[in-house]
């Protein structure tokens, strides 16, 4: 079967006897809001009054023929199709007696089969409660309320909520433009057109959808994965059990401020231990198909892995805090989640090794290509219960191959540390490992965390008496001359002489800087090249203690 594309009007799409639709269970819930509906009615009414004899193009509809249900799965176009059906119900319940037989037939047959009253043209598989709400409060008949607080009163039922909005918009426009409802209804079914693309498979439909739907988010691979796994379950009880488990996983992740997509990608890396070549759902389904497990066994494993993922990201230790600043999160989260899930014996030493390896690469300016394969190799080693010495050997070989340590040293001892993407992260590493606490408070890198130049960038005459031009050039943006401050402290310190800066760090407004790397300065009576060298030694000793372990 090939991909077929045709321009069809709403009559051919919704009224035709042989066409029935469903929103698959992996789709997101119906979500159009008041603004979407207002724009639609305005556009329809304007087109009707200004260009009654022309067609009004209303987007695309991407479908897949679902032979098991004798219905067409809506891959793209759920929002419009659902809204058109609700609009038909609103016109039916407000103006049916004003319609001529032709318009009445269009309305009735776009809601349900002409010969079977209980066979609806559109149904939802996303959630049983959605179909019940749609059936009981809209399809069977709408009981309109005169409330002015539509969103609040019908917050739990989006279909009924939007039926009320459509009623108000429709009444307003019909009155304002003096439009005959019968003429408008016939025009709507005969002149509103969509590009209908019928695809032979889910895969081809998603590719089409991603090209067409450039104004919205593409259909999630997660939704496809969920649907594919559910379809393998034969009875309703198992499908419901799967759904409940899946939703529990999603809820637990959201409760911890994590997302399902991130966890499942980490799970994929754990299962694959190789670089994915296809979409998340396709890769995972291929891997899982080889294991001969039922969908219920698979969701049980995903659930258990998600707990390991959450525990990994919620770890309050110094190493995890440092890893969170890295850009390429997928690698360390996959390694540590795998270690947690498989109960690897040397997790603490593993964390230390990862911080050392990734920070050397980050500061040395390594690309993701340099760390990717080694990271995947580590996942394999953990799954094979390899000793930590084997893991460190793998990391060391990679660092040696690219002379990473040499470049790392050139960068941290360089004159331009300030402004690098890792400048605050490296000082925070020193901060964490200067504390006696095993689980210090995590410090996010945001606009409240400032990097202070002790020797200011803008110099007063007092500073120029202490440093010559060459020293200023060498030390101003070096690691030794940088410290951490809250935004408030940074403002207080300004470009003052050293004594006044320390006073601001120490007790301005009776608030002491909380950063240990800054409190070090309290013991300094001056700030010159000698003190800069001394602080460089202190900072680098701590950096090397953590990072130079191979």
């Amino acid at each position: 079967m090939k991909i077929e594309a045709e321009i069809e009007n709403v009559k051919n799409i919704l009224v035709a006897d042989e066409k029935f639709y469903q929103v698959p269970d992996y789709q997101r819930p119906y979500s159009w809001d008041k603004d979407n509906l207002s724009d639609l009615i305005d556009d329809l009414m304007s087109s009707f009054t200004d260009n009654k004899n022309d067609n009004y193009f209303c987007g695309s509809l991407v479908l897949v023929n679902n032979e098991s249900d004798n219905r067409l799965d809506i891959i793209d176009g759920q929002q419009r199709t659902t809204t058109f059906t609700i609009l038909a119900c609103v016109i039916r319940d407000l103006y049916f007696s004003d319609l001529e037989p032709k318009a009445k037939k269009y309305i009735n047959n776009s809601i349900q089969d002409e010969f079977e009253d209980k066979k609806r043209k559109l149904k939802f598989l996303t959630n049983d409660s959605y179909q019940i709400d749609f059936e009981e409060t809209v399809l069977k008949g709408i009981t309109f309320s005169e409330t002015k607080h539509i969103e609040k009163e019908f917050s739990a039922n989006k279909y009924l909520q939007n039926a009320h909005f459509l009623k108000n918009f429709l009444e307003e426009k019909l009155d304002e433009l003096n439009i005959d409802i019968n003429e408008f209804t016939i025009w709507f079914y005969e002149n509103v057109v969509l590009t209908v693309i019928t695809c032979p498979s889910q895969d081809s439909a998603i590719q089409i959808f991603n090209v067409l739907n450039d104004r919205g988010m593409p259909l999630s691979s997660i939704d496809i994965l969920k649907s594919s796994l559910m379809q393998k379950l034969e009875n309703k009880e198992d499908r419901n059990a799967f759904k409940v488990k899946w939703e529990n996983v999603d809820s637990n992740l959201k409760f911890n401020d994590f997302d399902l997509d991130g966890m499942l990608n980490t799970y994929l890396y754990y299962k694959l231990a190789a670089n994915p070549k296809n979409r998340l759902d396709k890769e995972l389904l291929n891997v899982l198909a080889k294991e001969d497990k039922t969908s219920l066994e698979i969701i049980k494993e995903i659930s258990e892995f998600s707990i390991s993922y959450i525990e990994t990201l919620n770890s309050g230790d110094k190493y995890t805090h440092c890893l969170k600043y890295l850009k390429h999160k997928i690698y360390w989260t996959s390694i540590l989640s795998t270690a947690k899930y498989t109960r690897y014996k040397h997790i603490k030493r593993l964390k230390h090794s990862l911080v050392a390896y990734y920070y050397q690469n980050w500061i040395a300016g390594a690309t993701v290509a340099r760390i990717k394969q080694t990271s995947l190799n580590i996942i394999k080693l953990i799954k094979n219960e390899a000793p930590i010495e084997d893991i460190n050997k793998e990391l060391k070989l990679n660092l040696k191959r690219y002379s990473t340590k040499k470049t790392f040293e050139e960068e941290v001892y360089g004159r331009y540390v300030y402004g690098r993407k890792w400048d605050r992260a490296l000082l925070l590493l020193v901060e964490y490992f200067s504390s006696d606490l095993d689980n210090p408070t995590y410090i996010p890198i945001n606009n409240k965390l400032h990097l202070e130049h002790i020797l200011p960038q803008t110099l007063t005459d007092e500073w120029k008496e202490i440093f010559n031009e060459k020293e200023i050039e060498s030390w101003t943006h070096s690691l030794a001359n940088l410290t951490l401050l809250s935004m408030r402290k940074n403002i207080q310190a300004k470009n003052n002489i050293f004594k006044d800066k320390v006073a601001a760090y120490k007790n301005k407004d009776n608030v002491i800087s909380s950063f240990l790397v800054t409190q070090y300065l309290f013991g300094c009576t001056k700030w010159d090249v000698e003190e800069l060298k001394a602080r460089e030694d202190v900072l680098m000793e701590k950096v090397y203690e953590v990072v130079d372990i191979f």
Side-chain angles (χ1 to χ4, degrees):
M1 180 181 175
K2 60 183 180 180
I3 294 175
E4 298 176 351
E6 293 183 50
I7 302 294
E8 294 189 28
N9 61 19
V10 175
K11 174 191 169 186
N12 288 338
I13 295 168
L14 288 178
V15 179
D17 291 340
E18 69 278 12
K19 294 180 180 177
F20 298 88
Y21 305 87
Q22 63 189 12
V23 178
D25 48 13
Y26 53 80
Q27 283 276 28
R28 298 178 181 88
Y30 176 58
S31 61
W32 266 23
D33 59 17
K34 182 179 180 181
D35 291 336
N36 297 125
L37 302 176
S38 177
D39 290 343
L40 175 67
I41 295 300
D42 279 345
D43 289 345
L44 290 175
M45 293 297 185
S46 296
S47 185
F48 175 74
T49 54
D50 298 337
N51 305 291
K52 189 181 295 187
N53 296 323
D54 296 334
N55 288 336
Y56 172 73
F57 180 70
C58 201
S60 60
L61 189 61
V62 180
L63 308 169
V64 174
N65 187 31
N66 190 323
E67 295 179 357
S68 63
D69 291 325
N70 291 319
R71 284 180 177 267
L72 292 159
D73 284 350
I74 301 176
I75 304 301
D76 181 36
Q78 175 202 165
Q79 307 298 329
R80 285 180 293 275
T81 308
T82 305
T83 301
F84 288 167
T85 305
I86 297 173
L87 179 60
C89 293
V90 170
I91 294 174
R92 175 198 64 192
D93 295 336
L94 290 177
Y95 303 106
F96 201 74
S97 60
D98 298 325
L99 301 180
E100 294 175 2
K102 183 179 182 180
K104 287 181 178 179
K105 182 176 181 179
Y106 287 168
I107 289 288
N108 282 333
N109 292 357
S110 67
I111 297 170
Q112 63 192 42
D113 180 65
E114 184 176 5
F115 307 105
E116 293 182 47
D117 291 346
K118 293 183 180 180
K119 188 174 183 180
R120 302 302 189 182
K121 297 302 295 253
L122 174 66
K123 71 176 185 177
F124 295 87
L125 302 181
T126 47
N127 188 300
D128 289 343
S129 65
Y130 295 152
Q131 181 60 36
I132 292 170
D133 286 344
F134 193 51
E135 174 72 24
E136 297 299 324
T137 64
V138 176
L139 296 180
K140 284 185 176 180
I142 305 166
T143 303
F144 290 109
S145 170
E146 295 302 318
T147 180
K148 295 181 180 179
H149 307 288
I150 294 172
E151 287 174 304
K152 185 176 181 180
E153 184 164 338
F154 306 111
S155 60
N157 187 335
K158 196 73 175 176
Y159 311 104
L160 186 57
Q161 180 185 118
N162 283 358
H164 280 76
F165 283 132
L166 285 170
K167 169 185 178 292
N168 292 347
F169 295 144
L170 198 59
E171 289 177 334
E172 180 181 331
K173 284 296 180 181
L174 290 174
D175 182 60
E176 176 187 331
L177 301 174
N178 194 29
I179 292 174
D180 181 274
I181 186 61
N182 184 71
E183 289 183 14
F184 172 78
T185 301
I186 293 171
W187 174 86
F188 170 73
Y189 282 94
E190 294 181 351
N191 292 80
V192 173
V193 300
L194 294 89
T195 300
V196 180
I197 304 171
T198 307
C199 301
S201 67
Q202 219 170 57
D203 236 7
S204 58
I206 292 165
Q207 289 176 19
I208 294 291
F209 171 73
N210 287 342
V211 172
L212 293 175
N213 199 23
D214 58 356
R215 290 185 297 173
M217 289 182 63
L219 189 63
S220 170
S221 293
I222 296 171
D223 299 329
I224 307 300
L225 174 66
K226 176 185 174 185
S227 170
S228 299
L229 291 173
M230 286 182 66
Q231 286 176 7
K232 294 179 181 179
L233 297 169
E234 295 181 358
N235 61 68
K236 188 174 181 180
E237 289 77 13
D238 286 347
R239 286 171 67 91
N240 285 336
F242 181 97
K243 236 174 166 180
V244 168
K245 197 73 171 174
W246 183 282
E247 288 167 2
N248 285 342
V249 170
D250 191 22
S251 298
N252 197 23
L253 287 163
K254 287 177 180 174
F255 179 78
N256 285 277
D257 293 325
F258 305 134
D259 60 87
L260 188 60
D261 184 69
M263 186 278 292
L264 283 174
N265 273 290
T266 303
Y267 176 71
L268 172 60
Y269 273 75
Y270 153 69
K271 298 296 285 187
L272 205 58
N275 193 45
K277 296 178 180 177
N278 288 301
R279 238 178 28 239
L280 167 67
D281 58 294
K282 202 166 187 177
E283 286 278 14
L284 264 178
L285 289 169
N286 287 339
V287 173
L288 296 170
K290 298 174 184 176
E291 297 184 354
D292 195 28
K293 291 181 179 178
T294 69
S295 294
L296 289 178
E297 289 173 326
I298 291 167
I299 190 59
K300 181 176 182 291
E301 181 178 277
I302 289 173
S303 176
E304 291 169 352
F305 185 87
S306 73
I307 294 170
S308 298
Y309 174 82
I310 291 168
E311 289 176 353
T312 295
L313 290 178
N314 280 339
S315 295
D317 61 272
K318 303 170 183 182
Y319 299 108
T320 303
H321 288 348
C322 291
L323 290 169
K324 286 180 180 178
Y325 302 129
L326 295 169
K327 180 180 179 182
H328 301 293
K329 174 182 173 183
I330 187 63
Y331 298 112
W332 72 265
T333 54
S334 298
I335 291 170
L336 291 182
S337 296
T338 298
K340 176 72 79 171
Y341 181 68
T342 60
R343 298 179 182 177
Y344 186 66
K345 295 178 182 179
H346 308 293
I347 287 187
K348 185 173 181 179
R349 291 179 64 189
L350 174 64
K351 287 181 179 182
H352 192 169
S353 297
L354 294 181
V355 170
Y357 172 73
Y358 287 125
Y359 267 67
Q360 283 195 48
N361 274 285
W362 186 19
I363 292 168
T367 62
V368 67
R370 192 187 294 183
I371 65 170
K372 182 187 294 181
Q373 189 55 54
T374 298
S375 300
L376 298 171
N377 292 345
I378 300 305
I379 294 174
K380 290 179 186 175
L381 288 169
I382 292 170
K383 290 172 73 173
N384 291 329
E385 301 181 7
I388 190 66
E389 290 77 17
D390 287 1
I391 290 174
N392 285 343
K393 182 179 179 181
E394 181 80 20
L395 298 174
K396 185 177 179 179
L397 284 171
N398 179 265
L399 292 171
K400 184 178 180 180
R401 179 183 177 187
Y402 296 103
S403 301
T404 305
K405 183 183 175 183
K406 181 177 180 291
T407 312
F408 160 78
E409 289 178 336
E410 290 170 353
E411 294 293 334
V412 291
Y413 278 109
R415 63 173 64 175
Y416 293 113
V417 168
Y418 177 74
R420 310 304 291 272
K421 292 180 180 179
W422 43 265
D423 52 11
R424 287 182 290 179
L426 188 60
L427 278 172
L428 285 169
L429 179 148
V430 174
E431 178 73 18
Y432 292 132
F433 287 94
S434 297
S435 170
D436 293 333
L437 299 173
D438 291 329
N439 295 288
T441 302
Y442 176 69
I443 304 166
I445 295 179
N446 54 31
N447 58 9
K448 294 181 181 180
L449 179 68
H450 282 230
L451 205 54
E452 157 81 345
H453 286 79
I454 305 163
L455 167 64
Q457 297 181 79
T458 304
L459 299 174
T460 60
D461 290 339
E462 291 94 328
W463 283 111
K464 290 178 181 178
E465 291 176 5
I466 302 170
F467 293 91
N468 61 41
E469 288 187 11
K470 186 176 180 180
E471 290 167 341
I472 290 168
E473 185 179 353
S474 295
W475 289 102
T476 300
H477 300 302
S478 69
L479 182 66
N481 191 52
L482 302 174
T483 198
L484 298 170
L485 289 177
S486 66
M487 183 170 62
R488 180 182 183 188
K489 285 289 180 185
N490 185 261
I491 292 169
Q492 291 169 350
K494 299 181 181 177
N495 297 325
N496 295 332
I497 60 173
F498 183 68
K499 176 173 64 71
D500 293 340
K501 276 179 171 283
V502 171
Y505 304 159
K506 200 170 184 180
N507 57 16
K508 187 74 171 178
D509 297 335
N510 297 316
V511 177
I512 298 175
S513 173
S514 61
F515 296 106
L516 297 175
V517 291
T518 304
Q519 290 178 19
Y520 166 89
L521 300 168
F522 298 172
C524 302
T525 57
K526 60 180 180 176
W527 197 246
D528 55 16
V529 171
E530 184 182 347
E531 289 291 353
L532 279 161
K533 288 179 178 177
R535 186 165 187 261
E536 182 177 65
D537 290 342
V538 170
L539 292 175
M540 290 310 301
E541 182 181 0
K542 189 61 66 176
V543 169
Y544 270 67
E545 180 185 311
V546 179
V547 174
D548 186 27
I549 65 169
F550 300 110

